[in-house]
Amino acid sequence: MKKTYWMSLTVILLLLGACGAEEDSMFSRNDQEGTQFVDNDVVGHNEEDWPTARTQTNQNPNFIDLSENQPTLGTDVDKARETIAELTPYEADEVWINGGQMWVTVHTNKNLTSVTRDNEEAELHDTLTRALPRYKIHVELKEK
């Protein structure tokens, strides 16, 4: 009984002794005030001292933008209408967003053959995809 008691006490002391902060530990850091455990408290730093870095959401247009001035569905619809008005000879009618897909209907006053319509829809699709790359865009060109 005494032997198992001393063995378990020795094992517990060895385990507790291994739990200290070491110089090379990834959980602590050394600075002028000695060894400190890493935490989320920011003491002694101003936000102005931190370098401004681009966040991950600003680097890839397909990520959801979580910044305060993030675009909403309404601003994306406005951007699609603005792109159609400025870069194409067509008139935007319906613009719908459903998840990651955008459905766009545009009108033209010209009579188009099916081949010409397909080519114009493909060109309009490319233009809208460059303007709004986060959506899978479906374009339908109709005659008035």
Short mmCIF file of all heavy atoms in Angstrom, two decimals, residues 70-131:
data_model
loop_
_atom_site.label_atom_id
_atom_site.label_comp_id
_atom_site.label_asym_id
_atom_site.label_seq_id
_atom_site.Cartn_x
_atom_site.Cartn_y
_atom_site.Cartn_z
N GLN A 70 -20.10 46.68 -45.58
CA GLN A 70 -20.26 45.56 -46.49
C GLN A 70 -21.42 45.80 -47.47
O GLN A 70 -22.39 46.48 -47.14
CB GLN A 70 -20.50 44.28 -45.72
CG GLN A 70 -21.83 44.23 -44.99
CD GLN A 70 -22.00 42.93 -44.24
OE1 GLN A 70 -21.24 42.01 -44.43
NE2 GLN A 70 -23.00 42.88 -43.41
N PRO A 71 -21.30 45.27 -48.66
CA PRO A 71 -22.40 45.42 -49.60
C PRO A 71 -23.58 44.57 -49.17
O PRO A 71 -23.41 43.51 -48.58
CB PRO A 71 -21.81 44.92 -50.91
CG PRO A 71 -20.72 44.01 -50.52
CD PRO A 71 -20.18 44.55 -49.23
N THR A 72 -24.76 45.04 -49.45
CA THR A 72 -25.97 44.28 -49.18
C THR A 72 -26.51 43.78 -50.51
O THR A 72 -26.00 44.11 -51.57
CB THR A 72 -27.02 45.15 -48.48
OG1 THR A 72 -27.34 46.23 -49.35
CG2 THR A 72 -26.50 45.68 -47.16
N LEU A 73 -27.57 43.00 -50.44
CA LEU A 73 -28.16 42.51 -51.68
C LEU A 73 -28.67 43.66 -52.54
O LEU A 73 -28.58 43.62 -53.76
CB LEU A 73 -29.30 41.54 -51.37
CG LEU A 73 -28.91 40.25 -50.65
CD1 LEU A 73 -30.13 39.40 -50.40
CD2 LEU A 73 -27.88 39.49 -51.42
N GLY A 74 -29.16 44.71 -51.90
CA GLY A 74 -29.65 45.87 -52.65
C GLY A 74 -28.54 46.59 -53.38
O GLY A 74 -28.72 47.02 -54.52
N THR A 75 -27.38 46.71 -52.76
CA THR A 75 -26.27 47.38 -53.44
C THR A 75 -25.74 46.52 -54.58
O THR A 75 -25.28 47.05 -55.58
CB THR A 75 -25.13 47.73 -52.47
OG1 THR A 75 -24.68 46.53 -51.84
CG2 THR A 75 -25.58 48.72 -51.42
N ASP A 76 -25.80 45.20 -54.44
CA ASP A 76 -25.36 44.33 -55.53
C ASP A 76 -26.33 44.39 -56.70
O ASP A 76 -25.91 44.38 -57.86
CB ASP A 76 -25.22 42.89 -55.04
CG ASP A 76 -24.00 42.69 -54.16
OD1 ASP A 76 -23.12 43.58 -54.16
OD2 ASP A 76 -23.91 41.66 -53.49
N VAL A 77 -27.62 44.49 -56.42
CA VAL A 77 -28.60 44.65 -57.50
C VAL A 77 -28.39 45.99 -58.20
O VAL A 77 -28.41 46.07 -59.42
CB VAL A 77 -30.05 44.53 -56.94
CG1 VAL A 77 -31.07 44.98 -57.96
CG2 VAL A 77 -30.32 43.11 -56.48
N ASP A 78 -28.14 47.03 -57.40
CA ASP A 78 -27.86 48.35 -58.00
C ASP A 78 -26.60 48.32 -58.84
O ASP A 78 -26.54 48.93 -59.91
CB ASP A 78 -27.72 49.41 -56.90
CG ASP A 78 -29.03 49.68 -56.18
OD1 ASP A 78 -30.10 49.34 -56.75
OD2 ASP A 78 -28.99 50.21 -55.06
N LYS A 79 -25.59 47.60 -58.39
CA LYS A 79 -24.33 47.48 -59.15
C LYS A 79 -24.58 46.77 -60.47
O LYS A 79 -24.03 47.16 -61.51
CB LYS A 79 -23.29 46.74 -58.32
CG LYS A 79 -21.98 46.52 -59.01
CD LYS A 79 -21.25 47.82 -59.20
CE LYS A 79 -19.87 47.56 -59.76
NZ LYS A 79 -19.13 48.78 -60.02
N ALA A 80 -25.40 45.73 -60.48
CA ALA A 80 -25.72 45.02 -61.72
C ALA A 80 -26.48 45.93 -62.68
O ALA A 80 -26.17 45.99 -63.88
CB ALA A 80 -26.53 43.76 -61.41
N ARG A 81 -27.46 46.67 -62.17
CA ARG A 81 -28.21 47.60 -63.03
C ARG A 81 -27.31 48.70 -63.58
O ARG A 81 -27.42 49.08 -64.74
CB ARG A 81 -29.37 48.21 -62.25
CG ARG A 81 -30.48 47.24 -61.93
CD ARG A 81 -31.60 47.93 -61.16
NE ARG A 81 -32.62 47.01 -60.77
CZ ARG A 81 -33.61 46.59 -61.53
NH1 ARG A 81 -33.70 47.04 -62.77
NH2 ARG A 81 -34.50 45.73 -61.09
N GLU A 82 -26.43 49.21 -62.73
CA GLU A 82 -25.50 50.26 -63.16
C GLU A 82 -24.54 49.74 -64.24
O GLU A 82 -24.27 50.43 -65.22
CB GLU A 82 -24.70 50.74 -61.95
CG GLU A 82 -23.66 51.77 -62.24
CD GLU A 82 -22.86 52.11 -60.98
OE1 GLU A 82 -23.43 52.04 -59.87
OE2 GLU A 82 -21.67 52.42 -61.12
N THR A 83 -24.07 48.52 -64.09
CA THR A 83 -23.17 47.92 -65.07
C THR A 83 -23.88 47.75 -66.41
O THR A 83 -23.31 48.05 -67.47
CB THR A 83 -22.67 46.55 -64.57
OG1 THR A 83 -22.00 46.74 -63.33
CG2 THR A 83 -21.72 45.92 -65.56
N ILE A 84 -25.12 47.30 -66.38
CA ILE A 84 -25.88 47.13 -67.62
C ILE A 84 -26.13 48.48 -68.28
O ILE A 84 -25.98 48.63 -69.49
CB ILE A 84 -27.21 46.40 -67.33
CG1 ILE A 84 -26.92 44.96 -66.91
CG2 ILE A 84 -28.13 46.43 -68.54
CD1 ILE A 84 -28.11 44.24 -66.33
N ALA A 85 -26.47 49.49 -67.49
CA ALA A 85 -26.78 50.81 -68.06
C ALA A 85 -25.54 51.47 -68.67
O ALA A 85 -25.63 52.12 -69.71
CB ALA A 85 -27.38 51.71 -66.98
N GLU A 86 -24.38 51.31 -68.03
CA GLU A 86 -23.19 52.03 -68.49
C GLU A 86 -22.40 51.28 -69.56
O GLU A 86 -21.78 51.91 -70.41
CB GLU A 86 -22.27 52.32 -67.30
CG GLU A 86 -22.84 53.36 -66.37
CD GLU A 86 -21.88 53.69 -65.23
OE1 GLU A 86 -20.74 53.20 -65.26
OE2 GLU A 86 -22.30 54.42 -64.33
N LEU A 87 -22.41 49.96 -69.52
CA LEU A 87 -21.52 49.21 -70.41
C LEU A 87 -22.22 48.46 -71.53
O LEU A 87 -21.55 47.87 -72.37
CB LEU A 87 -20.69 48.21 -69.58
CG LEU A 87 -19.82 48.81 -68.48
CD1 LEU A 87 -19.10 47.72 -67.71
CD2 LEU A 87 -18.81 49.77 -69.09
N THR A 88 -23.54 48.49 -71.56
CA THR A 88 -24.26 47.77 -72.61
C THR A 88 -25.35 48.67 -73.19
O THR A 88 -25.79 49.63 -72.56
CB THR A 88 -24.92 46.49 -72.04
OG1 THR A 88 -25.94 46.85 -71.12
CG2 THR A 88 -23.91 45.58 -71.38
N PRO A 89 -25.83 48.33 -74.40
CA PRO A 89 -26.92 49.11 -74.98
C PRO A 89 -28.30 48.62 -74.54
O PRO A 89 -29.31 49.01 -75.12
CB PRO A 89 -26.72 48.90 -76.48
CG PRO A 89 -26.10 47.55 -76.59
CD PRO A 89 -25.23 47.41 -75.38
N TYR A 90 -28.36 47.77 -73.52
CA TYR A 90 -29.62 47.16 -73.11
C TYR A 90 -30.21 47.87 -71.90
O TYR A 90 -29.56 48.65 -71.23
CB TYR A 90 -29.40 45.67 -72.79
CG TYR A 90 -28.73 44.93 -73.91
CD1 TYR A 90 -27.49 44.36 -73.72
CD2 TYR A 90 -29.33 44.84 -75.15
CE1 TYR A 90 -26.86 43.69 -74.76
CE2 TYR A 90 -28.71 44.18 -76.19
CZ TYR A 90 -27.48 43.61 -75.98
OH TYR A 90 -26.86 42.96 -77.00
N GLU A 91 -31.47 47.51 -71.63
CA GLU A 91 -32.19 48.06 -70.49
C GLU A 91 -32.45 46.95 -69.48
O GLU A 91 -33.03 45.91 -69.83
CB GLU A 91 -33.52 48.65 -70.98
CG GLU A 91 -34.38 49.23 -69.89
CD GLU A 91 -35.72 49.70 -70.45
OE1 GLU A 91 -35.79 50.03 -71.63
OE2 GLU A 91 -36.68 49.71 -69.66
N ALA A 92 -32.00 47.13 -68.25
CA ALA A 92 -32.18 46.11 -67.21
C ALA A 92 -33.63 46.06 -66.78
O ALA A 92 -34.28 47.08 -66.60
CB ALA A 92 -31.29 46.42 -66.02
N ASP A 93 -34.15 44.86 -66.61
CA ASP A 93 -35.52 44.70 -66.14
C ASP A 93 -35.49 44.08 -64.75
O ASP A 93 -35.48 44.79 -63.76
CB ASP A 93 -36.32 43.84 -67.11
CG ASP A 93 -37.77 43.70 -66.71
OD1 ASP A 93 -38.26 44.55 -65.93
OD2 ASP A 93 -38.43 42.74 -67.15
N GLU A 94 -35.44 42.78 -64.64
CA GLU A 94 -35.46 42.12 -63.34
C GLU A 94 -34.04 41.69 -62.97
O GLU A 94 -33.32 41.14 -63.79
CB GLU A 94 -36.36 40.90 -63.38
CG GLU A 94 -37.82 41.22 -63.63
CD GLU A 94 -38.66 39.96 -63.74
OE1 GLU A 94 -38.09 38.86 -63.80
OE2 GLU A 94 -39.88 40.09 -63.77
N VAL A 95 -33.69 41.92 -61.72
CA VAL A 95 -32.42 41.43 -61.17
C VAL A 95 -32.76 40.78 -59.83
O VAL A 95 -33.23 41.45 -58.92
CB VAL A 95 -31.39 42.56 -60.99
CG1 VAL A 95 -30.11 42.02 -60.40
CG2 VAL A 95 -31.12 43.27 -62.31
N TRP A 96 -32.53 39.48 -59.75
CA TRP A 96 -32.85 38.73 -58.54
C TRP A 96 -31.60 38.07 -58.02
O TRP A 96 -30.77 37.58 -58.80
CB TRP A 96 -33.88 37.62 -58.84
CG TRP A 96 -35.21 38.14 -59.24
CD1 TRP A 96 -35.65 38.43 -60.51
CD2 TRP A 96 -36.29 38.47 -58.38
NE1 TRP A 96 -36.92 38.89 -60.48
CE2 TRP A 96 -37.35 38.93 -59.17
CE3 TRP A 96 -36.46 38.42 -57.01
CZ2 TRP A 96 -38.56 39.33 -58.64
CZ3 TRP A 96 -37.67 38.81 -56.48
CH2 TRP A 96 -38.70 39.26 -57.30
N ILE A 97 -31.47 38.01 -56.71
CA ILE A 97 -30.36 37.30 -56.07
C ILE A 97 -30.96 36.22 -55.18
O ILE A 97 -31.83 36.49 -54.35
CB ILE A 97 -29.48 38.25 -55.24
CG1 ILE A 97 -28.81 39.27 -56.15
CG2 ILE A 97 -28.44 37.46 -54.47
CD1 ILE A 97 -28.01 40.31 -55.42
N ASN A 98 -30.49 35.01 -55.39
CA ASN A 98 -30.92 33.88 -54.57
C ASN A 98 -29.68 33.13 -54.13
O ASN A 98 -29.11 32.36 -54.88
CB ASN A 98 -31.85 32.97 -55.36
CG ASN A 98 -32.43 31.87 -54.51
OD1 ASN A 98 -32.24 31.85 -53.30
ND2 ASN A 98 -33.12 30.93 -55.14
N GLY A 99 -29.22 33.41 -52.90
CA GLY A 99 -28.00 32.78 -52.40
C GLY A 99 -26.80 33.29 -53.18
O GLY A 99 -26.54 34.48 -53.22
N GLY A 100 -26.08 32.39 -53.81
CA GLY A 100 -24.91 32.76 -54.58
C GLY A 100 -25.18 32.92 -56.06
O GLY A 100 -24.25 32.99 -56.86
N GLN A 101 -26.46 32.98 -56.44
CA GLN A 101 -26.81 33.10 -57.85
C GLN A 101 -27.55 34.40 -58.10
O GLN A 101 -28.36 34.84 -57.28
CB GLN A 101 -27.68 31.93 -58.29
CG GLN A 101 -26.97 30.60 -58.17
CD GLN A 101 -27.80 29.46 -58.73
OE1 GLN A 101 -28.83 29.67 -59.35
NE2 GLN A 101 -27.35 28.25 -58.51
N MET A 102 -27.26 35.01 -59.25
CA MET A 102 -27.94 36.23 -59.65
C MET A 102 -28.64 35.96 -60.99
O MET A 102 -28.02 35.46 -61.93
CB MET A 102 -26.94 37.38 -59.81
CG MET A 102 -27.57 38.68 -60.26
SD MET A 102 -26.39 40.02 -60.44
CE MET A 102 -26.16 40.47 -58.75
N TRP A 103 -29.91 36.30 -61.04
CA TRP A 103 -30.70 36.12 -62.26
C TRP A 103 -31.01 37.50 -62.82
O TRP A 103 -31.61 38.33 -62.15
CB TRP A 103 -32.00 35.38 -61.93
CG TRP A 103 -31.74 34.04 -61.32
CD1 TRP A 103 -31.47 33.77 -60.02
CD2 TRP A 103 -31.68 32.80 -62.00
NE1 TRP A 103 -31.26 32.44 -59.84
CE2 TRP A 103 -31.37 31.81 -61.05
CE3 TRP A 103 -31.84 32.42 -63.33
CZ2 TRP A 103 -31.24 30.47 -61.37
CZ3 TRP A 103 -31.71 31.09 -63.64
CH2 TRP A 103 -31.42 30.12 -62.68
N VAL A 104 -30.60 37.74 -64.06
CA VAL A 104 -30.72 39.05 -64.68
C VAL A 104 -31.51 38.93 -65.98
O VAL A 104 -31.20 38.08 -66.82
CB VAL A 104 -29.33 39.65 -64.97
CG1 VAL A 104 -29.46 41.01 -65.62
CG2 VAL A 104 -28.49 39.73 -63.71
N THR A 105 -32.52 39.78 -66.12
CA THR A 105 -33.28 39.87 -67.37
C THR A 105 -33.08 41.25 -67.94
O THR A 105 -33.26 42.25 -67.25
CB THR A 105 -34.79 39.63 -67.12
OG1 THR A 105 -34.95 38.37 -66.46
CG2 THR A 105 -35.56 39.64 -68.42
N VAL A 106 -32.69 41.31 -69.23
CA VAL A 106 -32.49 42.59 -69.91
C VAL A 106 -33.33 42.60 -71.18
O VAL A 106 -33.69 41.56 -71.72
CB VAL A 106 -30.99 42.84 -70.25
CG1 VAL A 106 -30.19 43.00 -69.00
CG2 VAL A 106 -30.43 41.73 -71.09
N HIS A 107 -33.66 43.83 -71.62
CA HIS A 107 -34.49 44.00 -72.81
C HIS A 107 -33.73 44.77 -73.87
O HIS A 107 -32.88 45.62 -73.58
CB HIS A 107 -35.77 44.77 -72.46
CG HIS A 107 -36.72 43.98 -71.62
ND1 HIS A 107 -37.48 42.96 -72.12
CD2 HIS A 107 -37.01 44.06 -70.30
CE1 HIS A 107 -38.21 42.45 -71.15
NE2 HIS A 107 -37.94 43.10 -70.03
N THR A 108 -34.06 44.46 -75.12
CA THR A 108 -33.49 45.17 -76.25
C THR A 108 -34.62 45.52 -77.22
O THR A 108 -35.67 44.86 -77.23
CB THR A 108 -32.41 44.33 -76.96
OG1 THR A 108 -31.87 45.09 -78.04
CG2 THR A 108 -32.97 43.03 -77.50
N ASN A 109 -34.39 46.56 -78.00
CA ASN A 109 -35.38 46.96 -79.00
C ASN A 109 -35.12 46.31 -80.35
O ASN A 109 -35.92 46.44 -81.25
CB ASN A 109 -35.37 48.48 -79.16
CG ASN A 109 -35.89 49.17 -77.93
OD1 ASN A 109 -36.76 48.65 -77.24
ND2 ASN A 109 -35.36 50.35 -77.64
N LYS A 110 -33.99 45.62 -80.49
CA LYS A 110 -33.63 44.99 -81.77
C LYS A 110 -34.24 43.60 -81.87
O LYS A 110 -34.49 42.93 -80.88
CB LYS A 110 -32.11 44.87 -81.89
CG LYS A 110 -31.39 46.20 -81.89
CD LYS A 110 -29.92 46.00 -82.15
CE LYS A 110 -29.17 45.87 -80.84
NZ LYS A 110 -27.74 45.70 -81.00
N ASN A 111 -34.47 43.19 -83.12
CA ASN A 111 -34.86 41.81 -83.38
C ASN A 111 -33.58 41.00 -83.57
O ASN A 111 -32.77 41.28 -84.45
CB ASN A 111 -35.72 41.71 -84.65
CG ASN A 111 -37.08 42.34 -84.44
OD1 ASN A 111 -37.59 42.34 -83.32
ND2 ASN A 111 -37.65 42.88 -85.51
N LEU A 112 -33.39 39.99 -82.76
CA LEU A 112 -32.16 39.21 -82.77
C LEU A 112 -32.43 37.78 -83.18
O LEU A 112 -33.46 37.20 -82.81
CB LEU A 112 -31.50 39.22 -81.39
CG LEU A 112 -31.16 40.58 -80.78
CD1 LEU A 112 -30.69 40.41 -79.35
CD2 LEU A 112 -30.09 41.26 -81.60
N THR A 113 -31.49 37.21 -83.93
CA THR A 113 -31.56 35.78 -84.21
C THR A 113 -31.12 35.02 -82.96
O THR A 113 -30.54 35.60 -82.04
CB THR A 113 -30.65 35.41 -85.40
OG1 THR A 113 -29.30 35.68 -85.03
CG2 THR A 113 -31.02 36.21 -86.64
N SER A 114 -31.37 33.74 -82.94
CA SER A 114 -31.01 32.96 -81.75
C SER A 114 -29.49 32.91 -81.55
O SER A 114 -29.02 32.93 -80.41
CB SER A 114 -31.59 31.55 -81.85
OG SER A 114 -31.04 30.88 -82.97
N VAL A 115 -28.73 32.86 -82.63
CA VAL A 115 -27.26 32.84 -82.51
C VAL A 115 -26.76 34.18 -81.97
O VAL A 115 -25.91 34.23 -81.08
CB VAL A 115 -26.62 32.52 -83.88
CG1 VAL A 115 -25.11 32.63 -83.80
CG2 VAL A 115 -27.03 31.13 -84.35
N THR A 116 -27.30 35.28 -82.50
CA THR A 116 -26.90 36.61 -82.03
C THR A 116 -27.30 36.80 -80.57
O THR A 116 -26.54 37.36 -79.79
CB THR A 116 -27.54 37.70 -82.91
OG1 THR A 116 -27.25 37.42 -84.27
CG2 THR A 116 -27.02 39.07 -82.55
N ARG A 117 -28.48 36.33 -80.21
CA ARG A 117 -28.95 36.45 -78.83
C ARG A 117 -28.02 35.68 -77.89
O ARG A 117 -27.65 36.18 -76.83
CB ARG A 117 -30.37 35.94 -78.68
CG ARG A 117 -30.86 36.00 -77.23
CD ARG A 117 -32.28 35.51 -77.02
NE ARG A 117 -33.21 36.42 -77.67
CZ ARG A 117 -34.01 36.08 -78.69
NH1 ARG A 117 -34.00 34.85 -79.16
NH2 ARG A 117 -34.83 36.95 -79.22
N ASP A 118 -27.62 34.47 -78.28
CA ASP A 118 -26.72 33.68 -77.43
C ASP A 118 -25.37 34.38 -77.27
O ASP A 118 -24.81 34.41 -76.16
CB ASP A 118 -26.51 32.29 -78.04
CG ASP A 118 -27.75 31.42 -77.95
OD1 ASP A 118 -28.65 31.76 -77.16
OD2 ASP A 118 -27.82 30.42 -78.69
N ASN A 119 -24.85 34.96 -78.36
CA ASN A 119 -23.57 35.67 -78.28
C ASN A 119 -23.68 36.91 -77.39
O ASN A 119 -22.78 37.20 -76.59
CB ASN A 119 -23.08 36.07 -79.67
CG ASN A 119 -22.67 34.86 -80.50
OD1 ASN A 119 -22.37 33.81 -79.95
ND2 ASN A 119 -22.66 35.02 -81.81
N GLU A 120 -24.78 37.65 -77.52
CA GLU A 120 -24.97 38.85 -76.70
C GLU A 120 -25.16 38.49 -75.22
O GLU A 120 -24.67 39.19 -74.34
CB GLU A 120 -26.17 39.65 -77.21
CG GLU A 120 -25.99 40.25 -78.59
CD GLU A 120 -24.91 41.31 -78.63
OE1 GLU A 120 -24.79 42.09 -77.67
OE2 GLU A 120 -24.18 41.36 -79.63
N GLU A 121 -25.89 37.39 -74.96
CA GLU A 121 -26.05 36.94 -73.57
C GLU A 121 -24.71 36.53 -72.97
O GLU A 121 -24.42 36.83 -71.81
CB GLU A 121 -27.03 35.76 -73.50
CG GLU A 121 -28.48 36.16 -73.63
CD GLU A 121 -29.41 34.96 -73.57
OE1 GLU A 121 -28.94 33.80 -73.53
OE2 GLU A 121 -30.63 35.18 -73.58
N ALA A 122 -23.87 35.86 -73.76
CA ALA A 122 -22.55 35.46 -73.27
C ALA A 122 -21.68 36.68 -72.99
O ALA A 122 -20.97 36.72 -71.97
CB ALA A 122 -21.87 34.55 -74.29
N GLU A 123 -21.74 37.68 -73.85
CA GLU A 123 -20.96 38.89 -73.63
C GLU A 123 -21.46 39.65 -72.40
O GLU A 123 -20.67 40.14 -71.58
CB GLU A 123 -21.05 39.79 -74.87
CG GLU A 123 -20.17 41.00 -74.82
CD GLU A 123 -20.23 41.81 -76.11
OE1 GLU A 123 -20.32 41.21 -77.19
OE2 GLU A 123 -20.19 43.05 -76.00
N LEU A 124 -22.77 39.73 -72.25
CA LEU A 124 -23.35 40.39 -71.08
C LEU A 124 -23.01 39.61 -69.80
O LEU A 124 -22.72 40.20 -68.76
CB LEU A 124 -24.86 40.51 -71.25
CG LEU A 124 -25.62 41.25 -70.17
CD1 LEU A 124 -25.09 42.66 -70.00
CD2 LEU A 124 -27.10 41.28 -70.51
N HIS A 125 -23.02 38.29 -69.89
CA HIS A 125 -22.64 37.45 -68.75
C HIS A 125 -21.20 37.74 -68.32
O HIS A 125 -20.91 37.87 -67.12
CB HIS A 125 -22.82 35.98 -69.11
CG HIS A 125 -22.37 35.04 -68.04
ND1 HIS A 125 -21.10 34.53 -67.98
CD2 HIS A 125 -23.04 34.54 -66.98
CE1 HIS A 125 -21.00 33.75 -66.93
NE2 HIS A 125 -22.16 33.74 -66.30
N ASP A 126 -20.28 37.83 -69.28
CA ASP A 126 -18.88 38.12 -68.96
C ASP A 126 -18.74 39.50 -68.32
O ASP A 126 -17.98 39.67 -67.36
CB ASP A 126 -18.02 38.06 -70.22
CG ASP A 126 -17.87 36.64 -70.73
OD1 ASP A 126 -18.12 35.69 -69.96
OD2 ASP A 126 -17.51 36.47 -71.92
N THR A 127 -19.47 40.48 -68.83
CA THR A 127 -19.40 41.83 -68.27
C THR A 127 -19.90 41.85 -66.82
O THR A 127 -19.26 42.44 -65.95
CB THR A 127 -20.24 42.80 -69.12
OG1 THR A 127 -19.77 42.76 -70.47
CG2 THR A 127 -20.17 44.21 -68.60
N LEU A 128 -21.02 41.19 -66.57
CA LEU A 128 -21.56 41.16 -65.20
C LEU A 128 -20.68 40.34 -64.26
O LEU A 128 -20.55 40.67 -63.09
CB LEU A 128 -22.98 40.61 -65.22
CG LEU A 128 -24.05 41.55 -65.77
CD1 LEU A 128 -25.36 40.82 -65.95
CD2 LEU A 128 -24.22 42.75 -64.87
N THR A 129 -20.08 39.29 -64.76
CA THR A 129 -19.20 38.47 -63.92
C THR A 129 -17.96 39.25 -63.51
O THR A 129 -17.49 39.12 -62.37
CB THR A 129 -18.80 37.19 -64.65
OG1 THR A 129 -19.98 36.46 -64.98
CG2 THR A 129 -17.91 36.31 -63.80
N ARG A 130 -17.44 40.10 -64.39
CA ARG A 130 -16.30 40.94 -64.01
C ARG A 130 -16.71 41.98 -62.97
O ARG A 130 -15.94 42.33 -62.10
CB ARG A 130 -15.71 41.62 -65.25
CG ARG A 130 -14.83 40.72 -66.07
CD ARG A 130 -14.09 41.52 -67.11
NE ARG A 130 -15.00 42.21 -67.98
CZ ARG A 130 -15.30 41.85 -69.22
NH1 ARG A 130 -14.72 40.81 -69.75
NH2 ARG A 130 -16.17 42.52 -69.93
N ALA A 131 -17.94 42.47 -63.05
CA ALA A 131 -18.40 43.48 -62.10
C ALA A 131 -18.79 42.86 -60.76
O ALA A 131 -18.57 43.47 -59.71
CB ALA A 131 -19.59 44.24 -62.68
#
